[in-house]
Amino acid sequence: MADRYLHFTGTATGRFLTRRIGLPQPAPLRRWSLETPALTGPVRHLTAGDSTVTEELGAVLAATGLEVRTDAERPATGTDVNASAERPAAGPASRTGTERPAALVLDATAVDTAAGLGAVHGALHPVVRSLAPGGRVVVLGVRPSPDDHHQAAAQQALEGFVRSLGKEIGKGSTAQLVRVVPGALSGAESTLRFLLSPRSAYISGQVIELTSAAPDPVDDWAAPLAGRTALVTGAARGIGASVASVLARDGAHVICLDVPQAREDLERTAARLGATALPLDITAADAAARITAAAPDGLDILVHNAGITRDRRLANMAADRWAPVIDVNLDSVLRTTDALLKTGTVNRGGRIVATASIAGIAGNNGQTNYAASKAGIIGLVRSLAPRAAADHGVTVNAVAPGFIETKMTAAVPLFIREAGRRMNSLSQGGLPVDVAETTAWFAQPASSAVNGQVVRVCGQSLLGA
Ligand code: NAD
């Protein structure tokens, strides 16, 4: 459904009126397209404190192909950062040298005291105003230490800092905190490529914690999923169809699964993508066996997207509204994941992506069943991820969409729908492609270090924040 308000505020009259009345001013988001696959403008590499990873981070940023400018105001520490400042990375040539940065990357990995937080302010305060519209701020930190409460306080402080910055920068810009493992920063490349690109347009205020796992090699970043087989449940329409489409764009062969009743839409979606259609109810007793039969060479990517709602307040909710929601959204995900891992259908190096929801984080009136199922997905991901990596070489992550413009949300009554759309830092709903791009980042071979994460695709919704 079209967001008419977003369109209205894009006109001169709309801008004038909404500013006068003090209404939200959503900026049109720049998403990935063939014409604009990357951010337009340089990335500034800033540092707070005496970082030990300056050179390592510089190499990863240079590998993204973006033009990187180092922190010229700050003297180099340890490594020759100025040398890389003189030598822009491969990518779009520097035009004027005074161009507004498209992204600010602040290395705050060395900040381990409350006083050290001053360097975070010192690095970003002078430049944040210069960030181009639709820009990105990525702060790099490390895991708060269980043994050093001063370090833990300083690193946890970055979370509040980034979440607040996400709420105030506006103009379609976003801010994230990525916790890295010094010495294992090559594992952060796929994440930085994603966050410093138009693909992450609707993600803000997120904390992503990486492991030290080494990335699997990528031959071609334009088709990182080439040669991979993916299965997407609930792929006939909505978010699932978009996930299938983005995975296919990135080179994967996709098996699109949906209920037999949706066969017509399913076959149309599959035909459009050169994919295989698998009409199957994911709650069927033989679902895992049928998936295994449909993927003789195994699966590299398994996306649990199918989901249903049967809303009622608990007092009015009969068991026949409770049980199917738990079965489709959670129990079938548990059953098929277990079976497909056990039979080895999910190949080593595989990626499992499940679909949670901000309802599973914040709760929702009339959705005790749905929110329980989606919170259950978060529990599944956090518990299984380390064991799946150790036992099968497989990562397990979840997307948690907020208000996404689909048929499901178009059916929501007008005023609730408007509130859902505007109550986030970007003042607009997301699109199915925003969830799909996040799934595709999780699915990349180079995303081995992204494991056990629940990333909200919600424009930094106020719900559950
Ligand atoms: P949708 O209703 O448009 O699509 C869901 C698809 O799942 C449908 O094609 C449906 O036929 C399929 N499906 C349902 N039961 C199935 C079963 N038993 N076996 C196989 N397929 C089945 O929904 P959507 O908006 O695209 O949502 C996709 C996922 O994202 C769901 O898990 C949903 O809970 C989640 N989500 C959506 C939003 C949103 O704003 N749209 C927000 C948060 C989470």
Side-chain angles (χ1 to χ4, degrees):
M1 153 155 301
D3 183 346
R4 293 206 183 92
Y5 180 82
L6 176 63
H7 188 255
F8 178 61
T9 54
T11 64
T13 320
R15 247 191 320 273
F16 173 76
L17 283 176
T18 50
R19 205 168 284 154
R20 283 293 288 259
I21 312 170
L23 290 173
Q25 306 267 314
L29 301 182
R30 276 189 229 140
R31 295 181 166 87
W32 182 94
S33 71
L34 264 179
E35 294 72 36
T36 50
L39 296 180
T40 46
V43 175
R44 284 200 62 179
H45 174 179
L46 306 160
T47 310
D50 289 327
S51 172
T52 58
V53 301
T54 304
E55 197 173 2
E56 207 187 347
L57 176 59
V60 174
L61 288 175
T64 63
L66 293 161
E67 180 194 339
V68 183
R69 302 218 180 111
T70 47
D71 186 358
E73 291 87 357
R74 190 182 165 280
T77 50
T79 57
D80 188 8
V81 290
N82 286 326
S84 51
E86 299 299 317
R87 176 175 43 81
S94 174
R95 281 166 284 275
T96 62
T98 55
E99 234 176 316
R100 295 177 77 172
L104 303 170
V105 175
L106 173 66
D107 171 5
T109 55
V111 175
D112 56 3
T113 62
L117 289 165
V120 172
H121 173 268
L124 283 173
H125 165 72
V127 292
V128 72
R129 211 190 293 273
S130 68
L131 186 66
R136 302 280 185 270
V137 177
V138 176
V139 175
L140 297 189
V142 292
R143 208 171 172 182
S145 165
D147 308 314
D148 177 351
H149 54 288
H150 287 261
Q151 185 272 8
Q155 286 296 322
Q156 191 67 33
L158 297 176
E159 193 171 321
F161 173 83
V162 161
R163 290 193 201 279
S164 299
L165 189 56
K167 290 184 178 181
E168 67 185 40
I169 42 178
K171 296 187 179 148
S173 295
T174 64
Q176 334 285 346
L177 173 62
V178 180
R179 293 192 175 129
V180 297
V181 181
L185 250 64
S186 62
E189 184 177 338
S190 73
T191 299
L192 289 173
R193 278 178 178 269
F194 173 64
L195 295 177
L196 299 174
S197 81
R199 295 170 198 244
S200 59
Y202 196 61
I203 298 180
S204 194
Q206 295 305 289
V207 179
I208 296 158
E209 193 164 307
L210 303 180
T211 72
S212 59
D216 292 339
V218 178
D219 293 333
D220 177 4
W221 282 97
L225 305 180
R228 306 227 144 194
T229 301
L231 180 121
V232 182
T233 71
R237 66 176 202 193
I239 294 172
S242 187
V243 170
S245 166
V246 169
L247 296 182
R249 176 202 71 188
D250 284 356
H253 173 71
V254 184
I255 302 171
C256 296
L257 180 154
D258 211 300
V259 287
Q261 301 91 294
R263 184 187 284 265
E264 216 172 288
D265 282 348
L266 180 67
E267 286 178 349
R268 199 176 313 121
T269 302
R272 185 167 51 84
L273 304 176
T276 305
L278 179 59
L280 172 66
D281 186 328
I282 196 66
T283 64
D286 63 348
R290 300 239 340 248
I291 291 170
T292 301
D297 296 326
L299 294 174
D300 304 297
I301 301 158
L302 169 60
V303 183
H304 295 291
N305 162 81
I308 59 169
T309 52
R310 296 285 184 275
D311 298 355
R312 281 282 191 283
R313 287 193 174 149
L314 183 63
N316 304 322
M317 188 185 291
D320 66 353
R321 284 189 172 265
W322 175 271
V325 171
I326 300 293
D327 199 20
V328 175
N329 298 3
L330 179 60
D331 213 1
S332 73
V333 176
L334 287 157
R335 286 196 306 270
T336 47
T337 299
D338 286 354
L340 297 174
L341 281 175
K342 194 168 166 200
T343 54
T345 301
V346 180
N347 296 328
R348 278 201 87 75
R351 307 279 181 248
I352 297 175
V353 183
T355 307
S357 162
I358 59 167
I361 296 167
N364 219 1
N365 188 347
Q367 291 200 314
T368 51
N369 51 357
Y370 182 76
S373 71
K374 295 301 187 180
I377 288 293
I378 296 172
L380 177 173
V381 164
R382 291 191 178 144
S383 170
L384 179 61
R387 281 178 289 118
D391 299 346
H392 305 279
V394 166
T395 64
V396 188
N397 295 288
V399 283
F403 184 100
I404 304 295
E405 306 277 0
T406 63
K407 278 189 183 155
M408 190 175 101
T409 46
V412 172
L414 177 69
F415 287 108
I416 302 177
R417 187 169 69 229
E418 265 310 291
R421 270 186 182 141
R422 306 298 158 215
M423 277 170 53
N424 60 70
S425 299
L426 298 169
S427 304
Q428 59 196 286
L431 300 180
V433 71
D434 298 319
V435 182
E437 296 282 14
T438 311
T439 304
W441 155 58
F442 284 145
Q444 287 188 9
S447 293
S448 315
V450 188
N451 196 21
Q453 301 303 294
V454 178
V455 174
R456 295 170 53 144
V457 185
C458 65
Q460 199 179 20
S461 169
L462 297 181
L463 299 179

